[in-house]
Amino acid sequence: MTSTEQGRRKYDELADRYEEIFPYVAEVGKLLVEHASPPSGARLLDVGAGRGAVARAALSLGCTVTAVDASQGMVERLACDFPDIEARQMDAGALAFPDASFDVVAAGFVIQVLPDPDVALAEAHRVLVPGGTIALSLEKQSVGRLRWLYELAAEYFGTPVPSDNDEDNGAVSSAQLDALLQAADFTNLATIPVEMPVSLANPPALWDWLTPRGLAEAVNALPAEQAESFRNRFLTQAETMQSNDGIALDFRATLHKAQKPCGQPASI
């Protein structure tokens, strides 16, 4: 399996507000499709399609789009929002399509949440035509100017302060993804970085940004006195951040493109 029941439930719950919580997803989806450069009429499979960031961009270029997601809630919203695409609930590691069904397979911010990314890449390879393109976006772990928040969370919740090195945090790095693509027999790798800072107006806006990401739930689980202490210290340090060049969250990604070799059979 390449997705989990817990993960599916999480994305079912986020389906109605996914792109509001993660506003950079739509822009990176557009950049990923541009990086893939599909010709008009290309058959594109969007794996882990979410609310359709990649599908939307591919449709605008004249692609024929099939979108799959492990979350039924996401699939229902996709079908409603994009009647021109075929939307189906499906696991990334068990694609119910014949060999050589697509010219492009794309996955936006999916590979890093899969417990078995190699299985998903093998499936992508199988359903691509020889010479077909795979395009993936990978979120980069970045502490950046929010190190004070990670240190505050470590003090109150005992969580480790992450490193700015993805591999130190157990996350998939850009180099590791390229290695996985090569191991799956993809060639002609091309990787580019993307920087998408997110600016927030004030400390309450930062709190609201973090609330659906688990902050409110964690704080509410503290004893009342500690919860109040955490909120006060959070707002104080966020105000300091705002006075020092504003509240801007460092968001980074890499876009990866590769090809299934021409003349190769659909399955390896």
Side-chain angles (χ1 to χ4, degrees), residues 164-177:
D164 278 315
N165 185 325
D166 289 343
E167 295 185 38
D168 292 343
N169 302 322
V172 177
S173 70
S174 176
Q176 287 172 332
L177 179 52

Side-chain angles (χ1 to χ4, degrees), residues 31 140 191-195 252-255:
L31 293 174
K140 301 284 288 179
T191 303
I192 60 174
V194 174
E195 294 196 11
R252 296 181 176 88
T254 49
L255 307 182

